Amino acid sequence: MAILHVLTGSYATRDEKGIKLWQFDTDAGELKEIAGVSGIERPSFLTVHPSLEMAVSGSEDFNGELVSYNFNLDSEMIKEYSRSSGNGDHPAYVTIDQSGKWLLSVNYSGGNVNVFGLKEDGAIGEMADSVQHEGTGPNEERQDAAHPHSVIQVPGKELFAVSDLGTDTIYFYRLDMQNGKLELDHAFDAEPGSGPRHLAFHPEWPLFYSLGELDSTMTVFSLEQERGIRQIQRVSLLPTAFEGENTAAEVAVSQDGKFLYASNRGHDSIVSFEIDEGGKLHSPEFTSSGGAGPRHFSVVPGGGWLIAANEKSDSLTVLKLEDGRPIELRQEIKTVSPVCVKFIERTI
């Protein structure tokens, strides 16, 4: 039996245990809650330090905060360690760079990208840089201003991709590892009105997959040094017959690079695609997320399972994967407004 540990974030109130630590049994496909911590409003997105000894959450609220936590997997403990202003409203995504020296965050309503130093003891240090986005998009309700929704490091590089839902733009920033300053490397426009939210990189090829929240699409891009960024495919994340309202939320590529997964809120499904040898997507299959409003999910390291955070039904669900596809609901656990699932990749 392999036991993995999982952190979840949520839209819980300050008085509730909004961040929880879980054990996941990879044989049985079962989650077990082992610890939780309160004291932060809407502790939504999480990032785990490369040391696997601390994590940071953003408080997705007005004048949102960033909070670091220490955890000990042997003693099954998690506790708050430090707290800092997030420099804006509604921190929606946080990332610790691969060196463990810098914390990057984006404020959805604040419209900015921020860099904070991380001290050796895990405390959040001073803000090193902040970049303000400007602009709008054709969707007057959702694209009234810049709304950066994620900041994700390009694997093996000092580049960070920021998907801005409000301006239909994907920015690539280069991070100076000595002083924490951001420099715009390049930016390009996504499909008007698509609302780019999150993206995922292919583990072997120079490709990434950009999820459009507002039009429920996935766009495949090549990221080639010589030829720049090229769009090579764009597909719907919904069944042809679906007619209701939907917003797409999360995207992930399997560790072997053979499958892509995305979540739909409205259709309340996980869609899975096969990835061909050119990186294109085909053969979509749709599986219920086991709840309502799957805002986030993670594929279990090593494959075999997928855990979805169903915000609207207050539930975490474990889906069994077979031949790369979700085939059945194995477990449902009630927990307040879960919106993020992050694995701490350590086995015991």
Side-chain angles (χ1 to χ4, degrees):
M1 177 180 70
I3 298 294
L4 299 177
H5 288 85
V6 187
L7 283 171
T8 58
S10 70
Y11 281 157
T13 67
R14 190 179 303 273
D15 297 330
E16 298 171 302
K17 292 182 178 180
I19 294 179
K20 293 183 177 181
L21 179 64
W22 309 75
Q23 284 185 348
F24 181 71
D25 183 329
T26 61
D27 289 342
E30 293 181 353
L31 277 169
K32 176 185 176 183
E33 182 181 338
I34 58 176
V37 63
S38 58
I40 179 172
E41 191 76 16
R42 293 166 60 92
S44 60
F45 207 81
L46 293 156
T47 181
V48 178
H49 193 275
S51 69
L52 306 183
E53 296 177 350
M54 61 87 68
V56 175
S57 173
S59 172
E60 198 171 330
D61 200 4
F62 292 100
N63 296 313
E65 296 176 301
L66 302 175
V67 183
S68 73
Y69 297 88
N70 288 341
F71 52 81
N72 186 300
L73 302 183
D74 295 325
S75 60
E76 300 181 348
M77 173 276 298
I78 181 170
K79 64 179 181 180
E80 179 179 331
Y81 188 71
S82 73
R83 184 178 293 235
S84 170
S85 167
N87 191 42
D89 294 337
H90 300 110
Y93 203 105
V94 287
T95 294
I96 296 174
D97 84 289
Q98 293 163 2
S99 76
K101 291 176 56 178
W102 302 102
L103 169 68
L104 292 87
S105 68
V106 293
N107 290 317
Y108 180 85
S109 297
N112 54 21
V113 186
N114 305 288
V115 183
F116 298 82
L118 283 177
K119 300 179 182 179
E120 290 187 4
D121 62 359
I124 301 171
E126 297 295 322
M127 186 171 70
D129 201 8
S130 180
V131 177
Q132 185 69 41
H133 286 186
E134 303 289 347
T136 59
N139 185 320
E140 294 182 1
E141 181 180 356
R142 293 294 309 278
Q143 296 182 308
D144 58 319
H147 294 305
H149 212 308
S150 60
V151 51
I152 299 171
Q153 187 165 8
V154 179
K157 298 183 181 294
E158 295 169 0
L159 281 175
F160 292 81
V162 177
S163 297
D164 195 314
L165 180 148
T167 65
D168 291 320
T169 306
I170 301 177
Y171 301 84
F172 281 81
Y173 289 100
R174 189 168 298 278
L175 177 65
D176 187 318
M177 298 301 293
Q178 298 304 313
N179 58 31
K181 300 298 182 183
L182 293 172
E183 179 183 356
L184 183 63
D185 191 83
H186 55 280
F188 68 96
D189 295 331
E191 191 76 15
S194 62
R197 174 187 172 97
H198 290 182
L199 55 78
F201 293 92
H202 194 279
E204 298 179 9
W205 305 324
L207 300 169
F208 67 93
Y209 301 84
S210 174
L211 178 142
E213 175 179 336
L214 301 183
D215 65 357
S216 301
T217 60
M218 189 69 63
T219 306
V220 187
F221 292 98
S222 68
L223 184 60
E224 301 173 5
Q225 186 172 2
E226 304 84 9
R227 302 176 65 181
I229 295 173
R230 295 184 301 115
Q231 178 177 321
I232 61 176
Q233 187 189 27
R234 188 165 181 263
V235 299
S236 173
L237 296 175
L238 291 167
T240 304
F242 181 75
E243 296 181 349
E245 293 185 3
N246 187 80
T247 54
E250 176 62 347
V251 53
V253 177
S254 62
Q255 285 182 307
D256 61 11
K258 294 181 179 180
F259 294 91
L260 178 138
Y261 309 93
S263 62
N264 286 304
R265 298 171 295 180
H267 189 246
D268 292 336
S269 64
I270 303 295
V271 55
S272 59
F273 294 87
E274 290 186 39
I275 301 176
D276 69 18
E277 292 185 358
K280 290 185 177 181
L281 307 174
H282 63 93
S283 306
E285 293 185 6
F286 302 88
T287 306
S288 169
S289 69
R295 189 177 183 88
H296 193 259
F297 65 85
S298 282
V299 179
V300 176
W305 307 95
L306 182 150
I307 300 176
N310 296 287
E311 174 196 351
K312 298 300 183 182
S313 57
D314 295 312
S315 64
L316 292 169
T317 50
V318 179
L319 304 181
K320 174 65 176 175
L321 301 181
E322 187 173 289
D323 297 326
R325 304 285 197 170
I327 59 169
E328 67 178 52
L329 174 64
R330 179 60 60 90
Q331 184 188 28
E332 179 183 11
I333 292 183
K334 289 295 184 179
T335 185
V336 176
S337 300
V339 296
C340 185
V341 180
K342 285 288 183 173
F343 276 88
I344 305 166
E345 296 192 38
R346 173 189 169 193
T347 59
I348 59 174

